[in-house]
């Protein structure tokens, strides 16, 4: 199975999906899924965009009204820069597919990615840690639910596990190490930070990829191996 993983896109979607299309054309190998680490830029009403996104909220509205469409099925967890109230309303009424081909993975839940040859289990936790339920963040209850999911192929999060250092920054995302201990994912994928980095987590020695802002990594995954095809 070929998957693309993307860092924070902030609503600037066309260029990266066009790049994926060119890769598929050149290699004649389809990309089965795109996984977003959050900050996809879900702003159905640009006037509701947060301060950081208000001047340039991106293209999501064009996709929502059908001017453009996502050509590849995409799964996202929440980042900081999304309309969390709108996403919550969509999920509550049963519309986990926010727009055509964009599926929202609720914190603590897991799903299957499948093609004719491979089936991958993915558990997700988006946002940053909050001791109380807060839109766009996760709680220890979400962590506990994720920990019951059983062995996973991929753990998809917005943050890096608590204590992980990225240059001068140290993650304070409590509980994510517990999910790694409990589910033993073959790969942890997260975003938030500016640069793409391949590493092993300090506490659990989990293979991990931090996908930098507006960057992407293409992976070929089967039951035995994970191979990097391209990194931009």
């Amino acid at each position: 199975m070929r998957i693309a993983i993307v860092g924070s896109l902030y609503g600037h979607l066309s260029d990266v999906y066009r790049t994926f299309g060119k890769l598929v054309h050149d290699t004649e190998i389809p990309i089965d899924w795109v996984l977003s680490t959050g900050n996809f830029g879900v702003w159905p009403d640009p006037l509701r965009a947060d301060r950081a996104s208000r001047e340039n909220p991106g293209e999501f509205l064009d996709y929502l009204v059908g001017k453009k469409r996502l050509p590849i099925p995409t799964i996202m967890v929440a980042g900081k820069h999304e309309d969390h109230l709108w996403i919550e309303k969509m999920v509550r009424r049963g519309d986990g597919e926010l727009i055509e081909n964009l599926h929202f993975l609720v914190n603590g839940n897991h799903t299957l990615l499948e093609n004719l040859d491979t089936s991958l289990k993915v558990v997700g936790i988006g946002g940053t840690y909050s001791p109380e339920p807060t839109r766009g963040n996760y709680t220890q209850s979400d962590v506990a639910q994720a920990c019951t999911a059983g062995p996973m192929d991929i753990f998809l999060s917005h943050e890096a596990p608590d204590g992980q250092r990225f240059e001068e920054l140290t993650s304070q995302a409590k509980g994510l190490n517990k999910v790694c201990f409990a589910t033993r994912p073959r790969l942890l994928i997260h975003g938030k930070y500016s640069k793409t980095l391949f590493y092993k987590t300090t506490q659990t020695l989990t293979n991990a990829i931090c996908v930098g802002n507006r960057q992407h990594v293409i992976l070929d995954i089967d039951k035995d191996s994970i191979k990097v095809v391209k990194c931009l």
Side-chain angles (χ1 to χ4, degrees):
M1 180 182 295
R2 177 160 291 186
I3 67 171
I5 54 180
V6 295
S8 299
L9 298 180
Y10 304 109
H12 301 283
L13 310 176
S14 297
D15 286 347
V16 70
Y17 281 90
R18 191 178 299 117
T19 298
F20 296 157
K22 185 177 186 303
L23 178 64
V24 171
H25 179 269
D26 292 345
T27 63
E28 298 183 348
I29 300 174
I31 294 174
D32 297 288
W33 290 91
V34 176
L35 302 185
S36 166
T37 58
N39 290 343
F40 197 74
V42 176
W43 298 112
D45 182 354
L47 296 179
R48 286 177 49 83
D50 60 24
R51 183 176 299 178
S53 306
R54 199 165 297 153
E55 290 186 5
N56 194 352
E59 308 165 82
F60 184 80
L61 181 58
D62 290 340
Y63 289 84
L64 178 65
V65 302
K67 290 183 179 179
K68 300 177 180 179
R69 66 178 297 274
L70 296 181
I72 305 170
T74 301
I75 291 178
M76 65 169 288
V77 293
K80 182 177 181 179
H81 303 290
E82 336 272 6
D83 189 337
H84 302 293
L85 176 60
W86 183 80
I87 292 173
E88 183 179 300
K89 287 180 178 178
M90 293 288 285
V91 171
R92 281 184 174 176
R93 75 182 195 186
D95 290 327
E97 188 175 16
L98 304 180
I99 58 175
E100 183 184 4
N101 271 343
L102 178 62
H103 306 268
F104 184 74
L105 185 53
V106 175
N107 285 345
N109 286 12
H110 65 277
T111 189
L112 286 177
L113 308 183
E114 296 181 295
N115 64 9
L116 294 176
D117 303 313
T118 308
S119 179
L120 302 176
K121 293 179 69 177
V122 180
V123 65
I125 291 186
T128 57
Y129 172 71
S130 173
E132 301 293 335
T134 306
R135 286 193 180 102
N137 292 318
Y138 72 91
T139 65
Q140 287 296 342
S141 176
D142 298 324
V143 169
Q145 182 173 343
C147 287
T148 66
M152 288 287 130
D153 294 292
I154 296 172
F155 176 18
L156 178 65
S157 66
H158 179 58
E159 285 266 25
D162 187 25
Q164 223 38 72
R165 289 187 59 85
F166 295 88
E167 297 180 344
E168 73 280 6
L169 302 174
T170 301
S171 174
Q172 299 181 24
K174 296 181 179 180
L176 300 190
N177 282 309
K178 292 182 180 179
V179 179
C180 288
F181 273 122
T183 65
R184 292 295 174 183
R186 296 166 61 197
L187 182 64
L188 164 65
I189 298 167
H190 68 86
K192 185 179 178 180
Y193 303 98
S194 60
K195 296 179 181 179
T196 295
L197 179 67
F198 297 77
Y199 69 100
K200 282 185 179 289
T201 60
T202 302
Q203 292 192 27
T204 64
L205 300 180
T206 304
N207 289 320
I209 303 176
C210 168
V211 193
N213 296 343
R214 301 194 187 182
Q215 297 175 21
H216 65 270
V217 177
I218 310 293
L219 302 173
D220 281 346
I221 304 180
D222 60 28
K223 62 183 181 65
D224 299 315
S225 65
I226 300 175
K227 298 177 181 178
V228 177
V229 175
K230 196 171 185 180
C231 178
L232 286 175

